[in-house]
Amino acid sequence: MTPSGAFRVAAAAGTAGLVLACLLLPLAGTRDLITAVFFTFLFLVLALNFDILGGFMGYMNLGQGVYFGLAAYLAALLLNTGWLDRLGRADIPLAIAVAAAATALAAFGFAYPLFRLSGAYFAMATFGVVLLIRSLILNFPGVTGGSYGVYVSPRHYLGLYPAYYLGLALLCASAALNLGIARSKLGLAFNAVRESEPTASAIGIDLFRAKRLALVLGAVPSALGGGIFGLQAGYIDVDAAMGVDKTLLPVIMALLGGSGLVAGPLVGGAIMRAIDIVLKNYLHLTFPALAIYGLILMGIGLLMPQGVLNFLRQRRGSAQPA
Amino acid sequence: MQTVLDLALGGISLGGIYALAAFALSMALATTHVLNVAHGNFLVLGAALATLLLNILKLGAAATLAAIVACFAVAGLLFERVFVRPLLGKTPEQILIGSILITFGFGLSSEALLGYYWARWVDPQPSFSITFPWARLDLGGVTLSGTRLFILVMAAGLIAAFHLFLTRSRLGKAIRAMAQNYEAAVILGMNPRQISTIVYLLGIVATAISGVLLILAAPLDPYEGTRFTLVALTVIIMGGVGNLPGALLGGVVLGVAEVVTSFYAGGVWGPVVYLVVFFIVLLIRPQGLLGSRAG
């Protein structure tokens, strides 16, 4: 067996073991731990979604959290109208599905102004989307509760255990989505756009359609995650639904792990969540978390802009030339 | 009449501030291809330092101004040396990822630390503002806000100084040459590092001063840095990278739009209008940056 074949078997076995551990965790874990792992699932989904556009295509979306937050709001507001009450138990899945569909439509629409830009301008414009949606939510308090946020009626709460398993399923689906894209013609097309847009265009790829597709594909799982999050939390406001953590942590996770690799966002996400849980739950730092995220971003940019996995791979490559 | 005059003066003076801040960003962008996402944070930092020196330490206006210029000249030098210099001359993709990670990280950290420690040590409700005792000018029947007039004169003066520097001085011409064609400028013997240093030094000082001018008219909170980066970017997209008249026009359009919107639709909508303008401009006049790989 070749070394890389052995590595693949080990990675597959490790992944299966991790998924099994996650499946069994609710039997043994405390409520706090289950909640922390549930949030980890959601952040990993966001990081994987970010990487569809950011890693495969080279377009850095600083507004991944918008799709999460928008769907969280839409699902909660839709349930609060009472229109779905006659559906009985089907109301929650339907609300989340409708919210995700509407969010995908919003992403579809945002593609038009956003993809007029590229490079760092594109990145800043996606952050502009975050500020725009935040302002709209805050400035229409009659509909959205403004700065007071939205309460979900207790009838529509999603329990922690169902939410946990939905989150796990969503994470597996998102990882499968990224893996599927990476191994398909679509992934090759995305990579071609990243490497050279004129060349990609010359070989028959419709640049705008490819970019729009990547944006919408990345928005749907995030939106489903947002819907689950809002109904599990029972209360959302702009900071909970699309705060700086929801928009920036996915970027940090994907770039820290290694953007463009399917495992990159997962590895970076695990590292960031571990740092976050230790900082918040054990060290009780009286220091703003955002300052630490900022320092980590700067550190990655200055020391290993290619991410941990690529960094390790290059080190290994230079130590034992093949 | 009085309302129209107030709105016009308010909008144009705000536009002057935006134009100044945007031009500083666009000059750095055109010469180094590094997009400084933390640009707006320097505006907020300038406002914070002015509030600290004038209101809390009770320094005079002249001493405050001198201290701000000195501090931000040093800050500009350090910022360029530590964060921008490592990116110079890399591939566009490396510059893109590096500049976003590094400058966004810097902006995030500086904002979080400023807000946190200001709330802890100075004022639990952080807000930066300074007042300047300028009476309203009476023009027979209508009056003009002296403060806004002062802001307008200062912003216009600084923009004019920038223009003279760029068109008349040798260094200014080198900066414009580098903005126009990087390779040709390097072949002709211009030093990209020297120009990058000068551009960041001048740009960050100008941005800090635009922050000081801004809080003469309206207070600012520590978390508005990113908003001003986006405002500056909107102005650049409207006017074109490295284009001073374009920045002036874009700034004034945004300033007037913001002031008029705040007046008629309520203060909460003023700070949103630039985003709407931004996306509309992208939809209808994209040629400004379409396909640009710079940055």
Side-chain angles (χ1 to χ4, degrees), chain A residues 35-274:
Chain A
T35 310
V37 176
F38 166 59
F39 283 151
T40 305
F41 294 157
L42 296 181
F43 274 116
L44 290 178
V45 168
L46 284 168
L48 284 164
N49 289 174
F50 162 85
D51 219 41
I52 295 177
L53 197 61
F56 296 151
M57 205 176 242
Y59 273 75
M60 210 181 285
N61 183 358
L62 299 181
Q64 193 64 46
V66 160
Y67 310 117
F68 184 91
L70 208 54
Y73 262 96
L74 289 173
L77 291 173
L78 185 61
L79 283 172
N80 282 355
T81 59
W83 296 339
L84 302 179
D85 281 355
R86 66 176 68 175
L87 293 171
R89 303 281 298 164
D91 58 350
I92 290 179
L94 188 69
I96 293 176
V98 169
T103 306
L105 203 63
F108 189 89
F110 277 127
Y112 287 85
L114 287 178
F115 289 117
R116 304 278 192 176
L117 300 170
S118 62
Y121 303 99
F122 172 81
M124 276 318 284
T126 55
F127 201 77
V129 175
V130 181
L131 296 182
L132 180 67
I133 300 290
R134 273 182 75 102
S135 307
L136 291 179
I137 290 175
L138 288 173
N139 287 355
F140 284 113
V143 184
T144 62
S147 54
Y148 293 105
V150 173
Y151 287 90
V152 179
S153 144
R155 286 180 298 138
H156 301 128
Y157 282 166
L158 196 56
L160 180 58
Y161 292 100
Y164 176 91
Y165 284 110
L166 283 173
L168 181 58
L170 189 64
L171 173 58
C172 293
S174 299
L177 176 66
N178 282 30
L179 204 62
I181 293 174
R183 292 186 174 174
S184 68
K185 262 177 88 174
L186 191 63
L188 288 176
F190 288 180
N191 287 346
V193 174
R194 180 185 65 194
E195 297 307 324
S196 163
E197 297 201 4
T199 313
S201 177
I203 58 173
I205 296 168
D206 185 332
L207 295 178
F208 177 69
R209 283 183 64 175
K211 294 172 191 174
R212 192 179 60 192
L213 179 63
L215 185 70
V216 174
L217 278 179
V220 172
S222 291
L224 292 170
I228 297 168
F229 166 80
L231 300 184
Q232 195 276 322
Y235 165 78
I236 43 170
D237 60 13
V238 278
D239 284 328
M242 54 180 92
V244 183
D245 58 338
K246 305 290 185 306
T247 55
L248 286 185
L249 274 177
V251 185
I252 301 180
M253 289 169 171
L255 294 172
L256 178 63
S259 203
L261 303 169
V262 175
L266 296 171
V267 170
I271 298 174
M272 280 308 296
R273 284 296 293 166

Side-chain angles (χ1 to χ4, degrees), chain A residues 116 118 120-121 124 139 286 291, chain B residues 29 96 109 116 233 268 283 292:
Chain A
R116 304 278 192 176
S118 62
Y121 303 99
M124 276 318 284
N139 287 355
T286 56
Chain B
L29 189 57
L96 162 68
S109 296
Y116 182 77
L233 219 56
V268 292
L283 281 175
S292 157

Side-chain angles (χ1 to χ4, degrees), chain A residues 58-60 62 112-121 123-125 127-129 131-132 135-136 139-140 194-195 197 244 248 255 286-288 290-295 297-298 300-302 305, chain B residues 29 35 37 82-83 86 93 96-97 100-102 104-106 108-109 112-113 116-117 120 226-227 229-230 233 237 241 268-269 272 274-276 278-279 282-283 286 289-295:
Chain A
Y59 273 75
M60 210 181 285
L62 299 181
Y112 287 85
L114 287 178
F115 289 117
R116 304 278 192 176
L117 300 170
S118 62
Y121 303 99
M124 276 318 284
F127 201 77
V129 175
L131 296 182
L132 180 67
S135 307
L136 291 179
N139 287 355
F140 284 113
R194 180 185 65 194
E195 297 307 324
E197 297 201 4
V244 183
L248 286 185
L255 294 172
T286 56
F287 193 72
L290 282 180
I292 294 168
Y293 298 158
L295 287 174
L297 270 177
M298 278 152 71
I300 304 170
L302 287 170
Chain B
L29 189 57
L35 176 60
V37 177
V82 178
F83 299 133
E93 210 174 308
L96 162 68
I97 294 184
I100 291 184
L101 287 174
I102 296 169
F104 206 87
F106 174 82
L108 205 61
S109 296
L113 292 176
Y116 182 77
Y117 286 107
R120 206 163 157 186
T226 314
R227 177 161 88 81
T229 305
L230 276 165
L233 219 56
I237 285 171
V241 179
V268 292
W269 290 106
V272 186
Y274 77 95
L275 286 167
V276 177
F278 178 72
F279 287 111
L282 283 183
L283 281 175
L289 288 168
L290 181 63
S292 157
R293 298 294 297 172

Side-chain angles (χ1 to χ4, degrees), chain B residues 27-190:
Chain B
M27 201 171 60
L29 189 57
T31 49
T32 62
H33 301 291
V34 174
L35 176 60
N36 175 13
V37 177
H39 186 74
N41 294 89
F42 284 103
L43 195 141
V44 174
L45 288 170
L49 188 62
T51 309
L52 183 72
L53 295 178
L54 263 183
N55 293 2
I56 293 159
L57 302 179
K58 310 280 182 209
L59 260 64
T64 299
L65 194 62
I68 286 173
V69 171
C71 280
F72 283 94
V74 173
L77 278 179
L78 285 176
F79 187 83
E80 195 276 334
R81 185 62 55 90
V82 178
F83 299 133
V84 178
R85 184 83 46 104
L87 296 170
L88 291 181
K90 293 204 169 169
T91 66
E93 210 174 308
Q94 287 170 324
I95 293 184
L96 162 68
I97 294 184
S99 64
I100 291 184
L101 287 174
I102 296 169
T103 61
F104 206 87
F106 174 82
L108 205 61
S109 296
S110 70
E111 182 175 284
L113 292 176
L114 177 68
Y116 182 77
Y117 286 107
W118 196 279
R120 206 163 157 186
W121 291 336
V122 185
D123 180 359
Q125 297 275 311
S127 168
F128 310 129
S129 73
I130 51 179
T131 47
F132 215 58
W134 278 55
R136 292 186 74 87
L137 267 68
D138 199 333
L139 298 179
V142 292
T143 60
L144 280 179
S145 156
T147 311
R148 304 257 182 201
L149 213 55
F150 174 76
I151 295 173
L152 183 59
V153 169
M154 286 290 290
L158 283 168
I159 290 170
F162 249 129
H163 181 69
L164 286 178
F165 167 70
L166 288 174
T167 50
R168 299 292 159 84
S169 75
R170 224 179 130 71
L171 199 56
K173 285 177 185 167
I175 290 173
R176 285 197 304 149
M178 185 145 273
Q180 227 165 49
N181 190 330
Y182 186 89
E183 277 85 16
V186 173
I187 290 168
L188 288 174
M190 286 156 210

